[in-house]
Amino acid sequence: MRSTHAITIHRPEELDESLRRAWHRAMDESPDYANPFLAPEFATGVGRHRRGAQVAVLHENGEAVGFLPYERGPLGVGRAIGLGLSDCQALVHRPGVTWDTRELLRACGLSVFEFDHLVEEQKPFGPYVTGTFASPVLDLKPGEGSYAEWLRATYPGQAKTTLKKERRLGRDVGEVRFVYDERDPRMLRTLMRWKSAQYRRTGRMDRFSKPWIVDLVDHLFQVREEHFTGILSVVYAGDRPVAAHFGPRSRTVFAAWFTAYDPDFGYYSPGLMMHLRLADAAGRDGVTLMDMGRGEKEYKDWLKTRELRVAEGFAIRPHPVAAAHRLWRRPVRGLRNTVLAHPGLREPADRLLKTVGTLRTSGLAHSGEAGARAR
């Protein structure tokens, strides 16, 4: 159904209080939009570090009813805000609102709009979807009693092994304790350091080598709002941190984002320990859903209670730039998705990346030693 709106364009940090309230109201009126990555606070955080960040606001009868945060690049090439970091993307809108995608792109000054974690509900973007993917989620129930009781009731098959490893960790290193909302910024730096090392070991791009991402995470760690709160969680053994996670939560949804651990404690499965502790604590804190994000991981398959569907694609309007962008980007995405979708290809690719990561780390170490000798 075709629908015409008045559309205004704003920098995220320039939205006034009435527009932010209207955005929050749209989030509250649909569970599809309860994810913290869809909150204005996330768009504002990205906007502090990305000059092209903007928000299109759809108006009906003078009332703001829809919000599309995006980043506008050269020649009108656009992308969902935080593409590559955000695990949930959408035009957040009041129930019943629809739009004409080409009119929307024209109002935004975009020839193309790229997305990779689009909420399935976004029907006007449907013709531009090139693939849909599972996004595992964990439905949380408020726990009663101790963590061990919750774990045995929720994951009886894994409880014995996990609790045994926790007891072993406590004996070997020190009493295991979990801090759900750790406010010490030094621990955030520890998490980033662990995560950078993990990226390098596995041959992945080190996100924390990019200063703007470090600054964004630092900023989001300080945000304490109803629809977006940055939560840093840490598992300690005695006084030693062994695993940490940072991610945002809204009133009802917790987004799993950055998890890492000290590899010296890999025997104890600290990453799994972190996710289980986090699920228990988040449920007690009023969260009803943990979104683990798109991607094939064994622990996600084990923890999930169901799956959402998210879409990727390129919304376009007739324009030479749009055609060129699509021809360039679509084959790259197709190759990546083919590898990720087939274990027979994914596992060799992972091994290759880890080998490259090991060689790169080794090379950096030798370079450092040579440099030290030269100095």
Side-chain angles (χ1 to χ4, degrees):
M1 180 175 67
R2 185 180 179 86
S3 180
T4 301
H5 300 86
I7 300 175
T8 57
I9 308 299
H10 309 256
R11 286 283 301 171
E13 66 273 18
E14 295 172 353
L15 295 172
D16 62 28
E17 189 57 34
S18 66
L19 288 177
R20 292 171 70 88
R21 283 199 304 268
W23 191 332
H24 288 150
R25 180 181 178 184
M27 290 181 68
D28 291 339
E29 289 182 342
S30 172
D32 289 316
Y33 306 134
N35 192 292
F37 285 119
L38 300 182
E41 289 80 6
F42 179 71
T44 299
V46 174
R48 290 164 59 98
H49 307 287
R50 306 287 282 179
R51 289 184 299 174
Q54 296 182 316
V55 179
V57 181
L58 282 60
H59 303 263
E60 285 185 357
N61 301 318
E63 182 180 7
V65 296
F67 302 84
L68 176 68
Y70 64 96
E71 296 179 42
R72 186 180 189 278
L75 303 177
V77 173
R79 44 190 255 164
I81 200 159
L83 189 82
L85 290 174
S86 168
D87 286 340
C88 191
Q89 302 149 4
L91 190 158
V92 180
H93 62 83
R94 300 280 306 280
V97 171
T98 188
W99 61 91
D100 181 276
T101 299
R102 289 187 175 180
E103 286 182 5
L104 175 64
L105 296 185
R106 188 175 297 109
C108 294
L110 299 179
S111 55
V112 59
F113 172 68
E114 182 177 357
F115 49 87
D116 65 357
H117 285 76
L118 191 74
V119 172
E120 188 176 27
E121 184 275 343
Q122 303 275 280
K123 302 303 182 186
F125 286 124
Y128 307 99
V129 168
T130 58
T132 62
F133 304 88
S135 184
V137 298
L138 173 57
D139 293 290
L140 303 180
K141 299 177 182 179
E144 296 182 359
S146 69
Y147 163 73
E149 291 170 338
W150 171 86
L151 184 60
R152 291 189 184 100
T154 309
Y155 295 105
Q158 189 69 19
K160 183 177 180 180
T161 301
T162 302
L163 292 171
K164 181 179 179 180
K165 288 188 174 183
E166 288 195 13
R167 289 192 296 269
R168 177 73 177 270
L169 178 61
R171 289 193 303 269
D172 293 349
V173 183
E175 180 183 1
V176 176
R177 60 189 178 91
F178 174 72
V179 179
Y180 171 63
D181 190 10
E182 173 63 81
R183 302 308 301 160
D184 185 347
R186 293 174 300 177
M187 287 311 309
L188 186 61
R189 280 292 183 275
T190 298
L191 169 59
M192 291 183 190
R193 187 172 67 251
W194 286 343
K195 197 67 179 177
S196 286
Q198 177 189 333
Y199 286 137
R200 293 192 297 270
R201 284 196 309 272
T202 56
R204 266 72 174 183
M205 182 195 75
D206 179 6
R207 290 176 174 175
F208 291 117
S209 68
K210 298 181 179 296
W212 81 267
I213 295 181
V214 173
D215 292 342
L216 172 64
V217 171
D218 280 339
H219 166 75
L220 296 178
F221 175 63
Q222 301 296 332
V223 177
R224 315 285 289 177
E225 302 292 343
E226 181 181 8
H227 292 80
F228 190 105
T229 298
I231 300 288
L232 173 66
S233 304
V234 184
V235 173
Y236 292 92
D239 293 328
R240 292 194 62 175
V242 298
H245 173 274
F246 177 76
R249 65 155 292 180
S250 65
R251 291 194 305 154
T252 58
V253 177
F254 196 112
W257 205 14
F258 294 113
T259 304
Y261 60 86
D262 185 336
D264 288 346
F265 298 98
Y267 167 78
Y268 304 97
S269 302
L272 180 58
M273 193 183 301
M274 165 57 68
H275 281 95
L276 290 169
R277 290 275 186 172
L278 191 54
D280 173 48
R284 296 172 189 275
D285 196 37
V287 173
T288 58
L289 186 77
M290 180 179 290
D291 189 337
M292 292 181 283
R294 169 186 164 185
E296 298 286 339
K297 295 289 184 181
E298 185 177 3
Y299 79 88
K300 293 182 183 182
D301 287 337
W302 184 72
L303 290 173
K304 71 183 180 184
T305 55
R306 58 190 172 97
E307 294 176 343
L308 304 178
R309 302 295 296 182
V310 296
E312 69 175 34
F314 309 85
I316 60 173
R317 63 187 179 95
H319 195 283
V321 170
H325 184 81
R326 185 183 177 93
L327 286 172
W328 169 58
R329 288 286 290 154
R330 188 167 184 174
V332 174
R333 276 196 173 175
L335 177 60
R336 181 202 65 193
N337 292 333
T338 298
V339 171
L340 293 177
H342 294 84
L345 298 175
R346 185 171 66 246
E347 292 172 9
D350 274 342
R351 287 196 297 271
L352 176 60
L353 286 171
K354 288 176 182 177
T355 300
V356 170
T358 300
L359 293 173
R360 182 186 299 162
T361 302
S362 176
L364 290 172
H366 288 311
S367 297
E369 291 169 4
R373 287 194 295 270
R375 287 192 297 273

